[in-house]
Amino acid sequence: MNEHDLQTTVTPPIAEKQPQVLELHGDQRVDNYFWMREQNNPKVIAYLEAENAYTNAMMQHTETLQTKLYEEMLGRIKETDLSVPYRKDDYYYYSRTEEGKAYPIFCRKKGSLDAPEQVLLDQNELAKEHEFLSLGVLQVSPNHQILAYSIDTSGAEQYTLFFLDLKTFELYPESISETNYSLAWGNDNQTVLYTKIDEANRPFQLFRHSLGNSVDEDALIYQESDDAYHLYVGKTRSQAYILMSVGSTITSEVHYLDANNPIGSFQLIHPRNTGVLYDVDHHSDDFYIVTNEEAINFKLMKTPVASPAKENWQTVIPHREDILLSGVSLFANHMVIYERKGGLPIGRVQNLSTGKEDKITFPEPTYNFYESSNPEFNTTILRFNYTSLITPQSVFDYDMETNERELKKETEVLGGYDRTQYKSEWLMATAKDGTQIPISIVYKQGIKKDGKNPLYLTGYGSYGASYPASFSSNRLALLDRGIVFAVAHIRGGEEMGRKWYEDGKFLKKKNTFTDFIACAEYLIGEKWTSSDRLAISGGSAGGLLMGAVMNMRPDLFKVVVADVPFVDVVTTILDTSLPLSVMEWEEWGNPNDKVYYDYMKSYSPYDNVEAKDYPDILIVAGLNDSRVKYWEPAKWTAKLRELKTDNNILLLKTNMGAGHGGASGRYESLKELAFEYAFVLDRLGLGCSES
């Protein structure tokens, strides 16, 4: 159907304007849609539902395509499947899925993989009464007799913690609400340390709970009063220490507690020092510390457990300008060193007795590699995951003594996937300041670089998060239709080292956006595609990226998909009652400072919507989203609809029962993706023959 035809029969909702003047630093911003923050206001829900109805009407002609895409993607997934079991003490733990069931089932076997299966938790059973269900914590006690698990049934990332007796399969009487993702068991199998959240969903309190006792008796161990800091509790692989980490975006401190004495007092390793990050792990008589103090790409130190103060820290791996130290992983006789060099993740394994080192290397031009579940300390086997744009998720067991690796499982892609039919490359675009920006790209063999290929470009570029070059069987739905898929590894991520991140934040944030534009221009200039065949997509802070580049260069893109987009930057970060506020000052800047206010306002997508032509746009939101509140995408949609001068399609789709991550079950998640893919294909003119 012609893109103009639908608009003659379906009228988009027009949001009511209620001007609200926001003033700071003598500057006035008029927000006509500020009222959308009132979630209990019937007008707000009515507007979101009207937008959903409009979206459904405008996408009705793609329903056949959506169904086809969904069935195609589902058809590539082995619905009844099993994860690779991992060993902890005398048990083998794994999860499995069953055809027709939306969620995993968590199981174990004792003694050997031939032993009878014991189902620990069936998430499908938990989800029966709920439209949405997400698991937070899933941790078995040290003696393997009690399971601690937590669930969120709204998408708001507020978890309730439960304890299940694995002998009787009866729940303990107590449950603990408003908890976060972290938990640590004491070695007494009786004491649990957990974190609670404040009104802004920030984990800020550490409590100690004794199983079987009333939650009212739980002792508050620590409370973090600085709104920029999050609290996390965990345990060393050695099982010797419980670690309480308190950190902001740029600063951290770690406290430790003997796990054999969980009712004891935490000791501080080193007090927080603004701008200094450090992580801690334990091995025999030492703590190993990865820190960025006077080392932008991080270095490794160690210090005696008996006297861990700063003056006793000794250098193990010095700082290097060209290699980012991502972290270390300690085993009884080995240390695994994770690094990034030239944009790619690499690994080294060091024998702690002999000092001998071996490298873990991979042949593909762009890929992702990271550690898997390794709960055992006394082992010579490292389990890691490997994937690339053309290699499905693969689980390897790597012998740290012999340097030999064994492929335990490669995720099966049903329907006859042949990786030789696809090719991936690592390209370099030149940014406007001359910096070389990496691009990971994948396509089906046989395409011609004639400027006519449809291309789907994505990116993120915030918080130092490196965008992984990972396989997706769902993505084959695009590749097999001749679409080239590319990832722009722009500044603000950490692909090329910590400076890559520093050069894409604060008063350098616009590098993130101009890098993405440079990647798009490079792909057009090299005849991979053309602007009228170019679709772009990003979520959360990647949605901010979409909004910013669309304001800067709307002519460059044909289609834009923005998932849960963080677009009302100034207003949100000024509101300290929201999760995206005080803690975000260390990423974007504090707008109470005029310098940052002016800079943020100059790129904030919502503040910079203008009367001009924009591409076709799909905006996706979650009503219960605690990270990017639903009103940001809703207000942005309303303002775009008010001001844009084109006849292109603008849709807002709000999931009224989910949060930041969208639908929780695998089938509903696939349907959401099929909807987005159908929008892109339709707008690129590739959906007509299938609709």
Side-chain angles (χ1 to χ4, degrees), residues 315-428:
T315 303
V316 179
I317 300 175
H319 174 258
R320 294 148 300 165
E321 290 292 336
D322 61 334
I323 299 176
L324 172 71
L325 176 62
S326 304
V328 299
S329 194
L330 292 162
F331 296 87
N333 198 40
H334 297 87
M335 176 168 66
V336 185
I337 302 154
Y338 294 100
E339 299 169 329
R340 291 191 81 92
K341 184 176 183 181
L344 296 172
I346 54 177
R348 289 188 286 144
V349 177
Q350 185 182 103
N351 186 304
L352 291 171
S353 302
T354 65
K356 178 178 176 286
E357 274 195 10
D358 289 300
K359 289 183 178 177
I360 304 174
T361 59
F362 305 97
E364 294 187 83
T366 179
Y367 59 83
N368 192 28
F369 145 69
Y370 55 98
E371 189 168 303
S372 187
S373 285
N374 288 287
E376 294 269 67
F377 185 66
N378 293 296
T379 181
T380 60
I381 301 298
L382 166 73
R383 177 163 291 175
F384 67 77
N385 294 319
Y386 175 81
T387 179
S388 77
L389 293 173
I390 59 175
T391 301
Q393 179 80 20
S394 306
V395 179
F396 285 91
D397 275 357
Y398 177 92
D399 190 316
M400 294 185 280
E401 289 288 342
T402 65
N403 200 25
E404 293 176 356
R405 68 184 79 174
E406 177 190 358
L407 176 62
K408 301 299 289 185
K409 178 179 181 175
E410 181 178 284
T411 300
E412 194 174 344
V413 181
L414 302 184
Y417 171 64
D418 178 1
R419 76 193 63 198
T420 65
Q421 296 299 303
Y422 306 87
K423 187 176 181 185
S424 68
E425 295 184 40
W426 176 259
L427 309 173
M428 286 288 182

Side-chain angles (χ1 to χ4, degrees), residues 84-94 107-113 144 237 331 372-379 381 383 397 408:
V84 181
Y86 65 83
R87 184 172 179 165
K88 180 74 192 295
D89 302 325
D90 202 25
Y91 288 89
Y92 291 88
Y93 288 89
Y94 57 96
C107 312
R108 72 180 180 187
K109 294 182 178 183
K110 187 176 183 181
S112 86
L113 289 172
H144 303 270
R237 183 180 285 121
F331 296 87
S372 187
S373 285
N374 288 287
E376 294 269 67
F377 185 66
N378 293 296
T379 181
I381 301 298
R383 177 163 291 175
D397 275 357
K408 301 299 289 185

Side-chain angles (χ1 to χ4, degrees), residues 11-26:
T11 307
I14 303 299
E16 184 180 321
K17 291 162 72 170
Q18 298 179 16
Q20 173 94 16
V21 178
L22 305 171
E23 187 168 354
L24 188 64
H25 307 300

Side-chain angles (χ1 to χ4, degrees), residues 94-115:
Y94 57 96
S95 65
R96 58 181 177 81
T97 52
E98 292 182 3
E99 186 172 347
K101 293 186 176 179
Y103 298 95
I105 302 163
F106 299 92
C107 312
R108 72 180 180 187
K109 294 182 178 183
K110 187 176 183 181
S112 86
L113 289 172
D114 297 323

Side-chain angles (χ1 to χ4, degrees), residues 563-665:
D563 285 303
V564 290
F566 172 42
V567 285
D568 192 11
V569 181
V570 180
T571 305
T572 290
I573 294 182
L574 278 168
D575 185 346
T576 56
S577 71
L578 299 174
L580 284 175
S581 56
V582 178
M583 61 168 280
E584 301 294 329
W585 293 352
E586 293 180 350
E587 176 73 17
W588 316 94
N590 182 350
N592 290 297
D593 177 333
K594 188 175 188 305
V595 173
Y596 285 107
Y597 173 90
D598 290 343
Y599 188 76
M600 292 159 73
K601 184 187 172 190
S602 73
Y603 67 74
S604 170
Y606 183 66
D607 290 298
N608 287 282
V609 174
E610 296 175 324
K612 61 186 177 188
D613 287 2
Y614 282 93
D616 289 311
I617 307 165
L618 169 63
I619 299 169
V620 179
L623 183 64
N624 299 326
D625 194 337
S626 63
R627 300 192 190 200
V628 177
K629 293 292 189 179
Y630 71 88
W631 61 72
E632 291 199 46
K635 287 167 52 176
W636 187 40
T637 303
K639 191 171 182 180
L640 279 165
R641 208 180 287 299
E642 174 196 350
L643 292 177
K644 74 189 191 82
T645 54
D646 56 81
N647 290 316
N648 293 326
I649 287 183
L650 167 62
L651 302 180
L652 171 65
K653 182 174 188 278
T654 304
N655 187 323
M656 304 299 277
H660 199 63
S664 57

